[in-house]
Amino acid sequence: MTDAALARGPVVERRRGEGWTAAALISPASIFVAFCLLAPIAILFRFSLNEFVPSKKLMVEALTVANYVKFFTDPYYTTILATTVRIAVLVTAVCLVLGFPLAYVVARTQSRFKHLLIISIVLPLFVGNAVRAAGWMTVFGNKGFFNATLMGLGVIDQPLEIMFTEKAVVIGIIAVNLPFMVLSLQSVIEGIDRSVEEAAFSLGAPPATMFRRVLWPLALPGVLAGTILTFVLAMNAYATPFLLGGPLFKMMAPLVYNQFTQQSNWPFGGAIAFILMTVTLGLTLMANLIIQRRAAR
């Protein structure tokens, strides 16, 4: 055996020992996640294959895909799914457009009050979604702050119908998700060397070209993380569409809650929940692949 092979022996053993140590450290968390996340999902999927007796509001054990067929063959439910996806995409796009400039300012500022900017972004997260939705209700109501101000200024004669509309839901979800987008982008932009941007400007690149050719490609990891997080939260929003959208406006999460609590239809509610999870994960993975392929070009 050569001296090089003898020297590599302790290194290999040390790396193997580090691997076993890492496995021992992550095993408790992995088991906890598997038990608290995967097990309920498996139970929910099993429930979705059962039958439901409406007259008795009773779940009967079976193996059938009738609940999934019912969802995809009824335009009422497919329209709700399409509305949920459309609103989630719109909210994600608006959060990205609004959040990128704010994240850039926070990341590049050298002010001693930078921590106050970060706190002001994080502070809304300390308030529950239901409380924030209730606050928007006082703003958007027919006699709320927004309408009362416009009518007091003589801009309008009749209050604008904002509450219990899609506009109110979109604004409410944007307000909830925007801090997540800003924080995701800000952490990545801070890691981009400012000299790279200055080099682009010194070579004659205008701000738009610098953003498109330099800043945007380097910030793509933050864009990807922020868009995925925002999209997932928007797809699964419950309190905001329930309170601001009213009984006539439907999204997937309130629909699942309605099936479980009001209809007591656990098989169909489980099917809707599993469809929501599958669509969310599928669209997220698709967007991830598209962004990664464009970043690799």
Side-chain angles (χ1 to χ4, degrees), residues 193-216:
D193 195 342
R194 183 64 182 268
S195 61
V196 178
E197 302 173 31
E198 295 174 351
F201 287 131
S202 66
L203 293 174
T209 303
M210 186 281 297
F211 173 79
R212 180 172 55 88
R213 300 291 297 273
V214 177
L215 183 60
W216 178 260

Side-chain angles (χ1 to χ4, degrees), residues 34-114:
F35 179 77
C36 295
L37 179 63
L38 299 180
I41 290 176
I43 295 173
L44 186 66
F45 178 70
R46 179 63 187 88
F47 280 178
S48 70
L49 300 177
N50 289 336
E51 294 180 348
F52 179 71
V53 181
S55 59
K56 299 181 180 180
K57 290 190 175 182
L58 181 67
M59 180 173 63
V60 178
E61 187 172 348
L63 284 175
T64 176
V65 294
N67 295 307
Y68 294 93
V69 174
K70 175 183 177 181
F71 182 92
F72 287 108
T73 55
D74 192 332
Y76 174 77
Y77 298 113
T78 54
T79 301
I80 293 176
L81 177 60
T83 300
T84 303
V85 173
R86 177 169 51 80
I87 289 179
V89 172
L90 176 61
V91 166
T92 303
V94 174
C95 286
L96 180 59
V97 172
L98 297 179
F100 202 102
L102 179 57
Y104 184 83
V105 170
V106 174
R108 294 304 188 208
T109 184
Q110 301 296 325
S111 172
R112 59 178 179 173
F113 300 110
K114 179 177 180 178

